[in-house]
Amino acid sequence: MKKLLITGFEPFGGESVNPSWEAVCRLPGEVGGYALTRLCLPVVFGEAAATVMRTAETLCPDVILCIGQAGGRAAITPELVGINLRHAAIPDNAGNQPKDEPIIPGGDCAYFSTLPVRKMAEAISAVGVQAQVSYSAGTYVCNDLLYTLLSHFRDSETRVGFIHIPYCTAQNKTPAMEPEQMVRGLAAAIAAMEG
Ligand code: PCA
């Protein structure tokens, strides 16, 4: 069976939960022909990607799919691109607040996801969950993670992608989504990753 390393994040920005980790924990151990290995990442520039790369060294996953919270979005949004920029409106969980810095000085401007994001968004919609391709993962830790992984795995067989999800209902913010819907949507996205 193929191996999927799937990650969520710890809470940040004063929240007590992060819907990404809540959703990742609720997924079954096998989805769409993939065996899942789960990892909860720190919301810290550089550290999130380093944590994934350490695990990937021994696991050798076929796919790395990272999930993060995008407060304010109503839909599940597979990200098309990671850009070489760090710019934080709020400090990360280690107190770093970079302003307009490159992630990799001299590195390529951007990398496209190596997962079929359009197909994944369509698959999420097809199970009745709101979805849309996103063309910006922002400039905070989620983009940092996506860009760094796409750079690191660009000449390897390992494919890399990122999906932002809305607040979950337990956070009492709007717009919000039920965890069950997130799980249904993410499972559909994973099943659509081939091809
Ligand atoms: N969302 C943040 C970082 C962690 C998370 O869940 C982001 O969009 O960058």
Side-chain angles (χ1 to χ4, degrees), residues 9-10 12 18 20 43 67-70 137 140-143 162 164:
F9 276 106
E10 65 183 5
F12 70 105
N18 190 316
S20 64
V43 181
I67 316 295
Q69 163 190 307
Y140 194 52
V141 177
C142 290
N143 174 72
F162 194 99
H164 264 125

Side-chain angles (χ1 to χ4, degrees), residues 24-155:
V24 165
C25 286
R26 284 174 165 83
L27 281 163
E30 289 178 18
V31 182
Y34 285 90
L36 272 55
T37 299
R38 296 165 234 262
L39 206 52
C40 186
L41 303 179
V43 181
V44 178
F45 282 100
E47 272 307 304
T51 305
V52 172
M53 292 185 302
R54 271 198 301 274
T55 301
E57 231 166 81
T58 46
L59 184 67
C60 299
D62 297 280
V63 175
I64 299 171
L65 179 61
C66 304
I67 316 295
Q69 163 190 307
R73 292 191 189 173
I76 295 183
T77 50
E79 297 291 347
L80 180 73
V81 62
I83 65 172
N84 190 10
L85 183 69
R86 288 178 169 167
H87 187 74
I90 57 168
D92 71 11
N93 284 354
N96 307 300
Q97 194 170 5
K99 299 282 181 192
D100 287 321
E101 291 174 12
I103 298 169
I104 300 179
D108 289 333
C109 295
Y111 295 107
F112 287 126
S113 172
T114 43
L115 293 180
V117 290
R118 180 87 44 206
K119 203 175 155 218
M120 290 163 73
E122 285 167 4
I124 299 166
S125 300
V127 294
V129 177
Q130 275 196 71
Q132 220 175 317
V133 172
S134 165
Y135 304 103
S136 174
T139 57
Y140 194 52
V141 177
C142 290
N143 174 72
D144 192 70
L145 172 63
L146 177 60
Y147 176 86
T148 305
L149 294 179
L150 286 170
S151 170
H152 184 80
F153 291 100
R154 67 185 183 279
D155 294 321

